[in-house]
């Protein structure tokens, strides 16, 4: 499977290119269990080079490693003793962290090369529901159902900082890893902390005001660092101003996923440039929203609708993620699917 590196294109060309994405490869695990309709695949992460991605499936307790360039499955690593979820690449080649789902709530640091554990991060007394690696260094954040958010360093077994925040909560780093955000669904608030003073009070807290019963699934900063995306399991996701905290828009136009899918991670994500949002919809579509000149696009009710959508012939795109280096994105439900655009004409 060929692919090419992101290029700087004219605005019109960029929109045409994104609209031309098509499914190029559907991958299956070597044991074939991915065909089981009750095996939910969580597309967890791309590595820094964009050449590899990993998925985690809670049901069969496996981590799957894929070669993105070749569009093929490389390796299955089982975690039958501890269970697995939320696998994330670190910045070291072929190393990842993931959350346990059995025995305890330890976060495990694993070498994918030889299936050896490098370190254990113990401390959570409830299931870890969010795990995010710093974009620039060895720090990472975890949030658990024990009313804590913890800041860790891969080089140390002990947490560097602990925040007591009602669960369920989410966490995210800004692109420069100068700031991190913590969102508490129970409090309906998002707080911003300085990495240089994470033991202090947040320097900004603002209200999210999502409707009752809406489940928050992920926080994500745009690459500009100016916008925060709060994804949910409902008919709307939300964009906030990362500097002042105001709500910018409701991202709508998709159909929420079925309840079985809502237990998965976010089904929306920013493109690398932070301008476009890709997200799955229950009508077998992948919606694309354009956030440029957003004030001119919003309707009177403050809603942002998709500029276009893609047909997903493999079923609902329960989770989407964009490669950090290449013009490629992946979607997952019971299968992992790679998408590529048509090459622009010369």
């Amino acid at each position: 499977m060929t692919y090419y590196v992101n290029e700087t294109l004219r605005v019109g060309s960029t929109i045409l290119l994104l609209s031309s994405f098509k499914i190029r490869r559907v991958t299956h695990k070597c044991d074939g269990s991915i065909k089981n309709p009750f095996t939910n695949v969580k597309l967890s992460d791309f590595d820094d080079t964009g050449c590899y991605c990993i998925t985690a499936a809670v049901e069969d307790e496996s981590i799957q490693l894929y070669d993105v360039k070749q569009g093929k499955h490389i390796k299955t690593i089982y975690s039958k003793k501890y269970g697995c979820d939320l696998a994330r690449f670190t910045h070291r080649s072929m190393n990842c962290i993931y959350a346990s789902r059995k025995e305890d709530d330890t976060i495990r640091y694993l070498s994918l090369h030889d299936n050896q554990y490098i370190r254990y991060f113990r401390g959570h007394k409830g299931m870890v529901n969010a795990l995010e690696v710093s974009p620039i260094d060895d720090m990472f954040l975890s949030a658990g159902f024990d009313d804590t958010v913890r800041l860790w360093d891969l080089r140390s077994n002990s947490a560097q900082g602990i925040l007591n925040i009602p669960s369920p909560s989410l966490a995210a780093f800004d692109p420069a890893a100068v700031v991190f955000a913590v969102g508490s669904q129970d409090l309906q608030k998002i707080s911003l902390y300085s990495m240089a003073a994470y033991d202090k009070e947040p320097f900004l807290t603002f209200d999210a005001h999502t409707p009752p019963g809406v489940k928050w699934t992920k926080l994500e900063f745009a690459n500009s660092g100016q916008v925060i995306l709060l994804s949910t399991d409902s008919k709307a996701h939300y964009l906030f101003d990362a500097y002042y905290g105001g709500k910018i828009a409701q991202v709508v136009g998709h159909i929420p996923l079925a309840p079985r899918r809502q237990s998965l991670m976010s089904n929306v994500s920013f493109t690398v440039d932070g301008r476009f949002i890709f997200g799955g919809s229950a009508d077998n579509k992948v919606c694309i929203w354009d956030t440029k000149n957003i004030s001119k696009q919003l309707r009177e009710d403050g809603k942002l609708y998709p500029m276009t959508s893609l047909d997903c012939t493999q079923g609902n795109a329960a989770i989407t993620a964009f490669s950090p280096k290449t013009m490629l994105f992946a979607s997952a439900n019971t299968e992992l699917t790679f998408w590529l655009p048509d090459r622009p004409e010369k």
Side-chain angles (χ1 to χ4, degrees), residues 18-22 278 284-288 308-312 329 339:
L18 294 179
S19 300
S20 74
F21 268 97
K22 294 181 175 62
F278 276 56
N284 295 354
K285 300 283 187 182
V286 174
C287 298
I288 304 176
T308 189
S309 62
L310 309 172
D311 291 322
C312 186
F329 81 92
W339 300 66

Side-chain angles (χ1 to χ4, degrees), residues 32-273:
S33 63
I34 200 164
K35 298 177 182 178
N36 182 341
F38 299 104
T39 300
N40 294 336
V41 178
K42 291 190 178 180
L43 174 61
S44 294
D45 205 12
F46 285 93
D47 77 326
D48 289 349
T49 69
C51 293
Y52 299 96
C53 72
I54 48 177
T55 66
V58 175
E59 289 84 354
D60 69 357
E61 300 169 333
S62 72
I63 294 172
Q64 307 295 334
L65 177 65
Y66 296 88
D67 183 320
V68 176
K69 186 173 182 179
Q70 300 299 321
K72 67 180 183 180
H73 177 267
I74 299 175
K75 181 184 291 188
T76 300
I77 297 174
Y78 287 105
S79 181
K80 296 292 186 180
K81 183 177 180 179
Y82 307 113
C84 63
D85 200 4
L86 305 174
R88 294 283 188 271
F89 277 111
T90 68
H91 300 297
R92 292 174 173 81
S93 178
M94 292 295 99
N95 289 352
C96 76
I97 54 175
Y98 71 89
S100 305
R101 285 292 178 260
K102 293 163 64 176
E103 273 202 9
D104 56 26
D105 301 293
T106 297
I107 299 166
R108 302 179 189 278
Y109 187 11
L110 174 70
S111 168
L112 296 169
H113 174 70
D114 55 10
N115 196 20
Q116 297 295 313
Y117 289 111
I118 301 170
R119 187 165 286 115
Y120 303 98
F121 304 98
R122 296 183 173 92
H124 279 292
K125 304 302 181 184
M127 185 180 76
V128 175
N129 65 286
L131 198 57
E132 299 295 333
V133 175
S134 165
I136 64 170
D137 58 26
D138 289 331
M139 307 297 286
F140 70 93
L141 288 163
S142 63
F145 281 95
D146 57 355
D147 296 330
T148 69
V149 174
R150 297 170 186 255
L151 180 66
W152 307 84
D153 189 320
L154 285 170
R155 298 162 293 187
S156 172
N157 298 77
S158 302
Q160 306 299 296
I162 301 175
L163 302 175
N164 295 301
I165 297 174
S167 304
S169 55
L170 301 169
F173 288 97
D174 84 311
V178 174
V179 170
F180 66 90
V182 175
S184 172
Q185 180 178 321
D186 185 54
L187 297 177
Q188 287 287 302
K189 294 183 182 295
I190 298 174
S191 298
L192 302 185
Y193 295 81
S194 168
M195 282 292 292
Y198 53 79
D199 56 336
K200 308 298 183 183
E201 293 294 316
F203 63 85
L204 176 65
T205 297
F206 54 90
D207 294 321
H209 292 307
T210 59
V214 169
K215 178 182 176 182
W216 295 9
T217 56
K218 190 179 181 182
L219 279 180
E220 182 181 358
F221 280 87
N223 200 40
S224 64
Q226 299 176 352
V227 178
I228 297 174
L229 172 64
L230 171 62
S231 60
T232 77
D233 67 350
S234 73
K235 295 185 292 185
H237 310 296
Y238 299 88
L239 289 173
F240 297 93
D241 188 307
Y243 292 164
Y244 304 105
K247 185 180 293 183
I248 299 173
Q250 294 184 56
V251 179
V252 299
H254 62 287
I255 300 175
L257 300 174
R260 182 169 63 89
R261 295 293 179 220
Q262 291 174 0
S263 65
L264 300 179
M265 299 185 328
S266 169
N267 69 319
V268 294
S269 60
F270 280 111
T271 53
V272 178
D273 61 2

